[in-house]
Every structure is written in C-alpha cells, then in structure tokens.
C-alpha cells in the first residue's frame, strides 16, 4: 500500500495576535492582512465591534482549524459605561435615543446592581444590531430597515464584573465572561436597572482564553513586516500541537 506523504508544515500556519485599532471592523483587519501578505486563508477567532479595540486572534492557513477552540474561550474586557445615555446600538456608535440625568447615581448603587444581577448565569437578550441571523438574515440588516423582532434570550456566564473607577456618569469596569456575551448589552441593561439608561462608551478586549493583548501586535507593526519577517510574529501551529 502506498504511504501517504506527510505534509511539510507551512511556516505561516498558526495564530497572529492583533491589537485591533478602533474604527476597523474585524473583517477589515482580516482582509488587509490577507491581501498584504498574500495569505490564501485568514479567519479570526471571535469578532470585535468597530468601536472596540484590543485582542483579535487571526487564524492563518491551517490555523483556521482552531476556530472553535479559540472562539470558545472565555473573554476578558475592560471598558467604560456612560450612564444616562441610551443609543440605538447600545454603544457610542449609535444614535442617541434618550438622555436622563444620572447625577444622583452612586458607585454603591452601580456595584449593587452588578453584583445582584450581572454575575453568574445570566439570560441575555442579544441586541438587534448584531450578526445573529433570523431566517438567514443578520439582525443588523433588519435593524437598518427600522425593524425590530423578538429575540430569544441566551444563557451566558459572567465570572467576575469589577468596577475599577466611578466618575459619574462614567463607570470604568473589567468583566470576564463566556463566549457570546454582548458587553454593550450589559451596559444597556445596567443603565436600565438604575433607571437612567446606559450605553457602552469604550471597550477593549484584553484576553481570549489563555491569549492576552500584551502579546499582540499593532497593525503598524504588522504591516511594517514583509512576508518573511511576519513569520516571526506568528504563533506556529506546529509549536502549539507538539
């Protein structure tokens, strides 16, 4: 019987950790890096909203086979909630729908709401502006047409939710949660529970599973590389499975 020839590992198979800048979509990053280095296959291990910065894990070549593992990892985010402002997207990119005075809200009240309702298992209703599909159509496309449909709540788990700083109306926080958590929805819901509304002012992903943003590279650093030198910045698949 003829033996199957073992494939020589491609020097580009693996993960590239990117510190995504704001105003770039996750797909923008994928397309730019794929075209710049002429990679045949590039994906990502969990999207970030355009507003968000931080860790975006790119999967290159056979690294795309790790998609489920990377996407399934727990995530850590740091961000700022703006109390008193409700928007159409639940973050600062959306149209302002309502504004209320939040001057009377205290740090103790914010922490009480978080600890009572937003740590542990949570049933979260996904936002309309999301990539979740209804009959094959992403919800954000329906939202652009002014449509809103009923969404089934999804079970998520929040391991920890810390208030790092409170300077009314801004709440600086760190949250660790399971995959599929919409942090802007947490901001929106917390604001509603406080009676003043709320939206996500900024967000940064600092970890995805065991991968951390301090090991990530900026787009400027990555695009300054050529096809040969970018290999030094890739976490090679051969090293991960050896």
């Amino acid at each position: 019987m003829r033996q199957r020839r073992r494939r020589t590992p491609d020097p580009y198979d693996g993960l590239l950790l990117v510190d995504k800048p704001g105003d770039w979509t996750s797909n923008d990053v994928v397309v730019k890096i794929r075209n710049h280095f002429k990679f045949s296959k590039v994906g990502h291990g969990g999207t970030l909203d355009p507003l968000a910065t931080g860790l975006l894990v790119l999967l290159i070549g056979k690294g795309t086979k790790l998609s489920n593992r990377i996407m399934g990892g727990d995530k850590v985010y740091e961000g700022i909630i703006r109390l008193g402002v409700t928007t159409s997207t639940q973050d600062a990119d959306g149209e302002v729908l309502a504004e209320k005075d939040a001057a009377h809200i205290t740090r103790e009240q914010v922490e009480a709401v978080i600890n009572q309702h937003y740590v542990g298992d949570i049933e979260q209703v996904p936002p309309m502006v999301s990539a979740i599909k209804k009959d094959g159509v992403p919800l954000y496309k329906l939202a652009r047409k002014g449509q809103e449909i009923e969404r089934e709540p999804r079970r998520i788990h929040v391991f920890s939710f810390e208030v790092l700083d409170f300077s009314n109306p801004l709440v600086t926080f760190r949250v660790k949660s399971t995959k599929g958590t919409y942090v802007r929805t947490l901001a929106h819901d917390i604001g509603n529970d406080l009676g003043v509304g709320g939206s996500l002012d900024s967000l940064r992903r600092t970890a995805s599973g065991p991968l951390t943003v301090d090991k990530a590279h900026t787009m400027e650093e990555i695009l300054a590389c050529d096809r040969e030198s970018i290999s030094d910045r890739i976490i090679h698949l051969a090293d991960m499975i050896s």
Side-chain angles (χ1 to χ4, degrees):
M1 179 187 256
R2 187 177 177 185
Q3 277 193 325
R4 236 178 125 182
R5 206 166 156 189
R6 197 169 177 186
R7 178 183 180 271
T8 303
D10 190 305
Y12 305 107
D13 288 342
L15 310 180
L16 180 61
L17 308 187
V18 180
D19 188 344
K20 187 187 89 64
D23 297 328
W24 285 59
T25 68
S26 299
N27 190 59
D28 288 339
V29 175
V30 167
V31 170
K32 184 69 174 177
I33 289 178
R34 184 180 64 219
N35 293 342
H36 184 80
F37 295 105
K38 296 181 171 51
F39 291 141
S40 61
K41 190 183 293 185
V42 181
H44 62 71
T47 191
L48 280 173
D49 289 340
L51 171 83
T53 65
L55 182 62
L56 181 67
V57 182
L58 294 195
L59 315 170
I60 300 173
K62 287 194 173 295
T64 54
K65 293 183 175 182
L66 300 177
S67 177
N68 289 340
R69 186 199 302 183
I70 301 299
M71 292 184 75
D74 300 328
K75 310 294 190 290
V76 180
Y77 298 92
E78 294 181 3
I80 299 175
I81 299 169
R82 181 176 293 274
L83 298 176
V85 177
T86 301
T87 75
S88 57
T89 57
Q90 302 181 345
D91 64 20
D93 281 344
E95 175 189 354
V96 175
L97 302 178
E99 293 187 72
K100 291 185 178 181
D101 182 17
H104 62 286
I105 301 296
T106 66
R107 177 172 182 153
E108 289 71 26
Q109 287 175 302
V110 173
E111 290 179 330
V113 164
I114 288 173
N115 291 331
Q116 186 173 357
H117 300 293
Y118 297 97
V119 178
D121 288 334
I122 299 169
E123 296 290 325
Q124 185 181 68
V125 177
M128 272 302 297
V129 181
S130 67
I132 294 172
K133 293 182 179 180
K134 172 69 173 178
D135 298 327
V137 180
L139 293 184
Y140 68 82
K141 290 190 175 181
L142 299 178
R144 285 175 186 167
K145 297 177 182 179
Q147 300 179 33
E148 180 161 355
I149 63 170
E150 186 174 346
R151 285 96 65 202
E152 289 294 323
R154 295 183 167 198
R155 174 70 61 91
I156 62 170
H157 186 84
V158 176
F159 298 97
S160 61
F161 200 147
E162 306 167 71
V163 174
L164 303 178
D165 185 64
F166 181 76
S167 181
N168 193 302
L170 303 180
V171 182
T172 304
F173 66 90
R174 180 188 297 119
V175 63
K176 179 179 181 181
S177 62
T178 50
K179 70 170 185 174
T181 300
Y182 287 92
V183 182
R184 53 195 160 98
T185 299
L186 293 176
H188 172 86
D189 292 348
I190 289 167
N192 280 350
D193 284 356
L194 289 164
V196 296
S199 54
L200 190 64
D201 213 46
S202 67
L203 187 68
R204 182 168 177 78
R205 183 156 65 199
T206 60
S208 177
L211 306 171
T212 56
V213 74
D214 61 308
K215 298 293 193 297
H217 311 286
T218 67
M219 287 298 289
E220 289 79 9
E221 291 170 338
I222 291 169
L223 297 177
C225 296
D226 57 21
R227 188 173 166 86
E228 183 178 343
S229 59
I230 192 61
S231 178
D232 294 334
R233 297 183 183 270
I234 291 173
I235 302 172
H236 298 286
L237 190 60
D239 296 332
M240 296 176 64
I241 61 178
S242 60

